[in-house]
Amino acid sequence: MANVFDKAAELGIVPVLSIPDVSHAVPLVKGLAKGGLPLIEVMFRTDAALDSIREIAEKCPEICVGAGTVVTIEQADAAMAAGAKFLVSPGFDPELVKHCVEKGYDILPGIATPTEIQNAVKFGLKYLKFFPAPTGGGTEALDMFSGPYPGVKFVVTGGMGADTIAEYLDVPCVAAVGGTFPAPMKMILDDDTDGIAEVTRRAVAEVFGFRIAHIGINSENEAEAKKTAETLARIFGLEVIPHDPCYFAGSLVEVMKGQGRGRLGHIAIGTRDIVRAAKYVERAGIALDWENAKYYPDGSLMCVFFRDDIAGFAFHLLAGPQKPKSDR
Ligand code: 3PG
């Protein structure tokens, strides 16, 4: 059954924030959404938490609002009554989880050990919060958890930042990275919606690692394509790789044997996570040409074009190869 944490996984980041006063709630979530994150976990760490959840649920129905630092059943019920769509607790409390499951609330309990994971999965939970991730063993612990608990996905939190997003999202069992990093407290207090949007946007960029993977050049015919590929290969010290329907000059340039897609050619945008990136560009209003998408032999998505050209160029997303760590 679909679960609200599937949405968090689609975004790749969960903003986990304290709101000092209810007046800051709407400017904050507007900034997050503008930066690409229409979701927030409001921590029960200030007196304004419950009112902030209610305010966001009422005034910004497009935002998926949840409650964090939920440590009692009373908080869970109050948050859901105020309009929360999910609950997050820092640790694993079987009574709290049982209550939430019975009530049909989406709960993300915190775990840090295999014992807690084992107890949590008994409740049929697919998503757990790994907190605090760095002291709990970081990416190495996550790799080890995925052996005995292959179906479990983790939202990783505790001291995360834009600089750790890529490292954690590259671990297959990680659904999302959470934390306070998408909105610095000073910007929350200043109701700096645009500032928050910019910080959020930079964090979101880390989720995808977008970069130019190659340029596609069109040709009149096969002979011209071969000549172009050989010229480029010679200049840049690359190998000519014959393909169908093109010649590659290394991985830099794809020379089409005729008029390929795009009046002026095409631009391939590499990303570390093409499935999540495809959903992201669709949310941004870009229609994708799924009928002509290409897949690897294992069925995973390799490449999908934007349906419409931009400034005469066709664009497609391309899975991997990953951006080198030094470029991140
Ligand atoms: C949490 O409960 O998830 C953390 O306290 C988030 O805060 P941090 O990103 O500042 O560690």
Side-chain angles (χ1 to χ4, degrees), residues 18-136:
S18 283
I19 303 183
D21 185 275
V22 67
S23 63
H24 302 305
V26 170
L28 165 59
V29 294
K30 288 211 177 299
L32 294 172
K34 202 169 164 190
L37 296 177
L39 181 137
I40 185 171
E41 173 190 330
V42 179
M43 290 192 277
F44 266 112
R45 293 194 199 172
T46 69
D47 293 341
L50 196 57
D51 286 341
S52 299
I53 291 167
R54 189 176 298 107
E55 176 95 345
I56 295 164
E58 279 174 14
K59 297 203 174 144
C60 307
E62 72 285 6
I63 304 293
C64 180
V65 59
T69 320
V70 174
V71 293
T72 67
I73 287 173
E74 291 69 31
Q75 282 174 329
D77 288 334
M80 294 305 287
K85 295 192 176 67
F86 65 91
L87 304 169
V88 184
S89 61
F92 177 70
D93 172 349
E95 269 178 55
L96 175 64
V97 172
K98 182 169 181 284
H99 176 80
C100 292
V101 170
E102 282 172 0
K103 289 270 192 173
Y105 304 161
D106 280 326
I107 171 89
L108 182 77
I111 60 85
T113 64
T115 308
E116 291 162 325
I117 299 174
Q118 207 156 310
N119 283 316
V121 295
K122 281 187 196 156
F123 290 96
L125 303 179
K126 173 175 158 199
Y127 292 97
L128 301 174
K129 167 181 165 111
F130 179 36
F131 174 76
T135 52

Side-chain angles (χ1 to χ4, degrees), residues 93-306:
D93 172 349
E95 269 178 55
L96 175 64
V97 172
K98 182 169 181 284
H99 176 80
C100 292
V101 170
E102 282 172 0
K103 289 270 192 173
Y105 304 161
D106 280 326
I107 171 89
L108 182 77
I111 60 85
T113 64
T115 308
E116 291 162 325
I117 299 174
Q118 207 156 310
N119 283 316
V121 295
K122 281 187 196 156
F123 290 96
L125 303 179
K126 173 175 158 199
Y127 292 97
L128 301 174
K129 167 181 165 111
F130 179 36
F131 174 76
T135 52
T139 53
E140 264 181 79
L142 286 158
D143 275 331
M144 290 185 191
F145 291 159
S146 61
Y149 310 108
V152 180
K153 296 278 176 197
F154 298 92
V155 176
V156 177
T157 70
M160 294 294 120
D163 56 331
T164 52
I165 291 171
E167 170 189 350
Y168 278 94
L169 286 182
D170 284 349
V171 181
C173 66
V174 173
V177 170
T180 53
F181 60 88
M185 185 48 78
K186 180 163 183 339
M187 289 186 180
I188 298 176
L189 291 170
D190 290 347
D191 296 328
D192 184 359
T193 294
D194 287 341
I196 291 167
E198 192 46 42
V199 175
T200 300
R201 202 172 287 126
R202 268 185 259 135
V204 169
E206 287 298 320
V207 171
F208 303 111
F210 288 132
R211 69 197 204 292
I212 292 180
H214 64 253
I215 303 286
I217 298 178
N218 295 329
S219 316
E220 286 291 323
N221 51 45
E222 174 162 3
E224 185 191 291
K226 189 161 183 271
K227 199 169 154 214
T228 306
E230 282 170 355
T231 304
L232 293 168
R234 193 176 61 247
I235 297 170
F236 297 111
L238 304 166
E239 196 189 342
V240 174
I241 307 159
H243 236 271
D244 200 25
C246 63
Y247 290 95
F248 268 97
S251 62
L252 281 190
V253 183
E254 178 180 12
V255 189
M256 310 309 293
K257 293 177 184 170
Q259 174 65 41
R261 290 186 73 142
R263 183 170 54 84
L264 299 173
H266 76 262
I267 298 176
I269 303 291
T271 172
R272 73 163 48 83
D273 190 331
I274 190 169
V275 173
R276 201 182 255 136
K279 288 181 177 150
Y280 171 76
V281 298
E282 283 183 322
R283 275 200 306 280
I286 301 291
L288 296 176
D289 177 9
W290 287 109
E291 295 85 62
N292 294 301
K294 289 190 188 137
Y295 295 86
Y296 287 110
D298 69 356
S300 61
L301 181 61
M302 179 175 82
C303 152
V304 61
F305 271 91
F306 293 7

